[in-house]
Amino acid sequence: MEAAERRATVLRAVVEEYVRTAQPVASQAITDSRDLGVSSATVRNDMTQLEREGFLAQPHTSAGRIPTDQGYRYFVDHFTSAGGLPVGQRRAVADFFATTHRALEDLLHETSQLLARLTSHAAVVVGPDADAVRVRSAQLVAIEPGTVLAVVVLGNGTVEREVLRSTVDGERLGRASGAFDSALKGGTLAPTTPATTTGDPEADVLLADAIHAVTTRARHVSDHLYVGGVSRLAAEQDAFATTATTARLLEMLEEQVVVVSLVRDLLDHGVNVSIGSENDVDELRDCSIVLAPYQVEGALAGTVGILGPTRMDYAQALAAVAAVSQQLGRLLLPSA
Amino acid sequence: MEAAERRATVLRAVVEEYVRTAQPVASQAITDSRDLGVSSATVRNDMTQLEREGFLAQPHTSAGRIPTDQGYRYFVDHFTSAGGLPVGQRRAVADFFATTHRALEDLLHETSQLLARLTSHAAVVVGPDADAVRVRSAQLVAIEPGTVLAVVVLGNGTVEREVLRSTVDGERLGRASGAFDSALKGGTLAPTTPATTTGDPEADVLLADAIHAVTTRARHVSDHLYVGGVSRLAAEQDAFATTATTARLLEMLEEQVVVVSLVRDLLDHGVNVSIGSENDVDELRDCSIVLAPYQVEGALAGTVGILGPTRMDYAQALAAVAAVSQQLGRLLLPSA
DNA sequence: AGTAGCAGTCGAGTCTACCGACTGCTAGTT
DNA sequence: AACTAGCAGTCGGTAGACTCGACTGCTACT
């Protein structure tokens, strides 16, 4: 084995051992657990080299090495390809999606919890960007005297609804409904107000109300973040030094909007794994994010991801998000 | 001042000081901050008496006293009556409810966050029990070829909807919708299956589907827990000794069902404040819960509450939940 | 290039001593 | 009888000294 190649193997070993034990990895620990055919002294030399190159770091002089963010990055880019999920977990995912039968919101929420269970980390699920989803049909329905329901069916099978007050009904409501449909159908729910009129002032008011309500609601729902397994963040305390750090993480997850835009941003740049200092957000300096988009009918529908300490099992994490995102996309196909 | 009366004042002072400082309270700290007209030695005597009676405890011999759960209980029962909210907070609540304009789910969720901000503790909002809400009207609407929407309007103005697949449409759908309405109207959404038929097999299938979907969904929604300010739990770490305790609390809040039934149970017994060991749930041994029901049109609609360490400002907590529950009930009045 | 072996470094754990913050009690006062 | 002054006693917490042992880095050798 060539020297450079061996150094890569040493790096790999350090990452794997550190993920397993959470302790700085000594040169001997590597020669003990791997069969490199060289002595610990040689591994030590490789390690100093790797440290010079920025892949490893030493907490203090008389300690083993831990990976730097750059070290994790190399590991992710070179040693995590095509890992499948263990059978047990693969079955858990299949079972979940076979038996679940819920409205979209609940499904996404429970998906985040599934992912959290699988990976033992906090999990997030982000819905599709409102701008990206087309309207399949829209209508207004009288549900009570004085109350009208605006119903919009989206390209991904989701149904959004909003309650409105209006005395318009019967024939006139039918015309308003037609105008509502033609105003939205085929477009997105981005907040535009197509100037449509029916020649009926009261119905026009209703129409404007309905379009406004539906678009703002869509924005709100699409920016919603489903978070599962927050308790894992507290359990991972050792990684996130202080309890104040944990509190700030939880706060950020509650904010939602920060995380949602971060996730969209990462994915727009084709990034699946963001490690520690690669994150621009301060709170995430000690965290890594592993993402996988899910697609419905070939179109990007949203993202699932997990949020854990940089010291995480990236291979398993990648396998888990891949499996879940794929199954989720499949389930969403025939409309919820 | 009579001796027994003074002891009560001492207890009160210990609770208030301990809530403020989080440190065991010394006899001198009390004579310094209050004007009891007696020396610290006398306070010491009162404290030993209060300890014998179970209201105070000593972490170790050479330390001040801290209140026991029983001590907090006495404090809550005798010294927290009729506290109003400070003007700043009162305005914050009014502003929130004046400007907010959202669908029910979002409103409840944001209410929980408001309450968390007000009290600096985690907050929960529980919706009404499904068994307690009457159906105002129900109908089935075709939204696309092959897709039917079941819409149910509830007594509190909430609108539940569920998407179904069925090819029944036109005239036949109208009849099914009528049957759907008469099957549910005036009753609750408790999972019963009134045997209704329309004499049209396919429509009957749709009808059964719709009733089933709507009742299960209602159960699911009504058992939903809106949690705000979970990050406070991490920030209160000092109170919940270990990080493992925090993790278990977060887990429980994610479970939802435990907390929902606990809250309903407490309120059924007319309990507004449950302190530490008074909670049957193990995870809550170091927590207190402060609750206030909110009413819509005179009927019990749900509960708001906060969850914090036993060492909390009960007077402020009670004032906050009272103010929020009252305003929330008022806002829900004209239907969402 | 690779290795054996040893000196050097530093964190973590243990022990001791000490300080200071309380209380409980006793003796004395009003 | 109620209260108080004052003092002895208790115990947690902190700082310093010491040891142990887990590593590394280096040098000399193969």
Side-chain angles (χ1 to χ4, degrees), chain A residues 162-198:
Chain A
E162 200 66 29
V163 182
L164 304 166
R165 315 225 53 140
S166 171
T167 54
V168 176
D169 60 1
E171 183 77 11
R172 293 163 64 209
L173 182 61
R175 275 196 301 275
S177 182
F180 185 54
D181 188 51
S182 50
L184 294 177
K185 180 182 267 177
T188 71
L189 283 180
T192 55
T193 315
T196 326
T197 60
T198 57

Side-chain angles (χ1 to χ4, degrees), chain B residues 6 37-39 41-42 44-45 60-62:
Chain B
R6 190 190 56 225
V38 295
S39 78
T42 305
R44 275 204 289 287
N45 288 332
H60 54 89
T61 322
S62 67

Side-chain angles (χ1 to χ4, degrees), chain A residues 96-103 107 110 331, chain B residues 162:
Chain A
F96 172 84
F97 285 108
T99 58
T100 198
H101 215 58
R102 305 214 174 279
L107 174 64
E110 290 186 12
L331 182 65
Chain B
E162 199 66 29

